Amino acid sequence: QKISELKLEESEHKLVIDALKEVNDPTRKCYQLVGGVLMERTVGQVQPNLENNASKINSLINSMDNTLEKKAKELVDFKEKHGIKVKGEDSMEDKSKSDSAAPASTGVLVN
């Protein structure tokens, strides 16, 4: 959940950075929301901060993705080692196998 929030924030940063790149005047006024307070600054001041924040968010997302993958692998290994089966996982796997083996039927509903 936090990763998706960070990805959304990263995309918002990229949108603003792209919009500010089109501005040719670095002394033009712009506003930045900092801690719930709207600050008046110039494009030249805001753009480097945004690029820095976007790169930090990107590195944080990568770090969290790596940690999530490691923890998922640890969980699978732990389940296999101790013979733990979660109720419903096996039935879902069996269902997907039986669905792939059976020919797909298409139904038409006519009123």
Side-chain angles (χ1 to χ4, degrees):
Q1 183 179 1
K2 188 66 175 176
I3 294 174
S4 61
E5 290 175 11
L6 287 172
K7 285 182 180 180
L8 180 65
E9 195 168 324
E10 180 188 28
S11 67
E12 289 175 357
H13 272 70
K14 286 182 181 180
L15 284 173
V16 174
I17 289 169
D18 291 341
L20 288 179
K21 283 183 180 178
E22 295 175 7
V23 177
N24 295 329
D25 185 16
T27 60
R28 184 173 174 177
K29 281 188 207 177
C30 69
Y31 297 90
Q32 182 181 20
L33 190 64
V34 179
V37 178
L38 198 60
M39 306 286 290
E40 181 179 331
R41 299 196 176 165
T42 63
V43 172
Q45 292 173 328
V46 171
Q47 195 168 6
N49 292 341
L50 283 174
E51 290 171 353
N52 187 24
N53 286 347
S55 66
K56 286 181 181 178
I57 290 171
N58 190 12
S59 65
L60 182 60
I61 289 171
N62 291 336
S63 171
M64 291 178 84
D65 278 336
N66 292 336
T67 304
L68 182 63
E69 288 174 12
K70 287 178 186 175
K71 291 297 180 183
K73 186 177 184 317
E74 286 178 18
L75 179 64
V76 169
D77 292 342
F78 184 82
K79 282 182 181 180
E80 288 175 359
K81 179 180 176 184
H82 296 286
I84 298 173
K85 293 184 182 179
V86 177
K87 185 177 181 181
E89 278 185 357
D90 292 335
S91 63
M92 288 174 43
E93 290 174 7
D94 293 340
K95 190 181 286 187
S96 66
K97 288 179 184 176
S98 65
D99 287 347
S100 63
S105 62
T106 57
V108 177
L109 179 63
V110 180
N111 210 3

